[in-house]
Amino acid sequence: MHAVAEHITKQQKDGVVPTEKLAFDILEKEWNSNAYESKTKEKHDYELAKTMVQTYLDWTKNNPNTPIDVEKKFKINIGNSPFIGYIDRVEITPDGEYEVVDFKTGYDYENKSSIKKDYQMNIYALGVEHVYGKLPKKASLFYLKHKKLVPYEIDKEQVDEIKSLIEENVNSILSEEFEPTPGY
């Protein structure tokens, strides 16, 4: 699914309007049957992937933003440690603001409240600031399986708070000041 979104976004950047045929052709090309022991499970997952592709296409059709980057790599330092990431999709709004979209194919676990404290989304915000010179207006998780978009209106104070928490964690780890949590 990520490959479909990546290819479609790259083509959108080149002015190509996404179509079902194009998206399903990409899915077919990228699909790997070798990962399955059972044809039944593969068929189920392939049908689920087709549904997620359709969800993605419906979303792109109604999305007023313009994609400017896909799988955008960034490297920032937090607490004197490098953080390298790849943002699924960076968009620009009609008002010239940046937005981040991260696609998820599994179960939804974030909501409008918890996403504000999500390390990944705040690191992505810092990555956009580093690459483009300003924080994005919004960062969203798009759970394709559930047709659920969870937006996070970026708040500089919240980003700074999460950055401080990450710095504390990095410093604790480097100083070997952490409690082990043994288990399976």
Side-chain angles (χ1 to χ4, degrees):
M1 187 57 232
H2 276 86
V4 172
E6 182 178 346
H7 288 294
I8 294 286
T9 301
K10 284 179 181 176
Q11 292 186 358
Q12 280 183 291
K13 286 177 53 186
D14 293 336
V16 175
V17 176
T19 65
E20 263 187 29
K21 179 177 178 358
L22 175 63
F24 290 137
D25 285 349
I26 294 167
L27 178 63
E28 179 69 29
K29 180 181 172 209
E30 294 291 332
W31 191 259
N32 182 358
S33 294
N34 295 332
Y36 292 92
E37 293 179 16
S38 157
K39 285 290 182 189
T40 304
K41 175 68 171 146
E42 179 185 2
K43 182 178 180 187
H44 173 268
D45 286 358
Y46 190 76
E47 290 304 314
L48 180 60
K50 285 172 58 177
T51 301
M52 288 190 279
V53 166
Q54 191 60 57
T55 297
Y56 174 80
L57 289 172
D58 292 344
W59 171 76
T60 58
K61 190 182 329 174
N62 298 310
N63 184 356
N65 299 338
T66 303
I68 58 168
D69 262 315
V70 60
E71 291 298 320
K72 182 63 180 172
K73 183 179 181 179
F74 66 90
K75 180 181 176 183
I76 57 175
N77 286 312
I78 302 176
N80 294 321
S81 291
F83 282 73
I84 299 170
Y86 295 85
I87 302 171
D88 286 350
R89 182 173 166 124
V90 180
E91 305 176 330
I92 195 145
T93 69
D95 298 333
E97 298 292 331
Y98 296 105
E99 291 191 10
V100 168
V101 181
D102 187 50
F103 298 105
K104 300 293 185 189
T105 56
Y107 294 101
D108 59 333
Y109 57 90
E110 296 290 357
N111 58 48
K112 287 183 180 183
S113 178
S114 67
I115 193 173
K116 295 174 185 177
K117 296 180 188 285
D118 183 85
Y119 282 20
Q120 178 185 14
M121 299 312 288
N122 284 284
I123 290 172
Y124 283 178
L126 291 168
V128 166
E129 182 180 45
H130 178 76
V131 173
Y132 300 103
K134 69 178 183 177
L135 286 170
K137 176 182 177 183
K138 188 186 326 181
S140 301
L141 289 169
F142 192 178
Y143 295 98
L144 294 164
K145 186 180 200 177
H146 303 283
K147 300 180 182 182
K148 181 180 176 183
L149 187 73
V150 180
Y152 164 31
E153 299 290 332
I154 299 297
D155 174 333
K156 174 90 170 110
E157 289 178 18
Q158 180 67 36
V159 172
D160 289 343
E161 181 181 321
I162 296 299
K163 183 179 176 186
S164 291
L165 287 172
I166 293 170
E167 287 173 346
E168 288 175 24
N169 288 336
V170 165
N171 290 334
S172 292
I173 291 168
L174 294 176
S175 300
E176 298 183 11
E177 298 170 359
F178 54 89
E179 290 295 318
T181 51
Y184 297 106

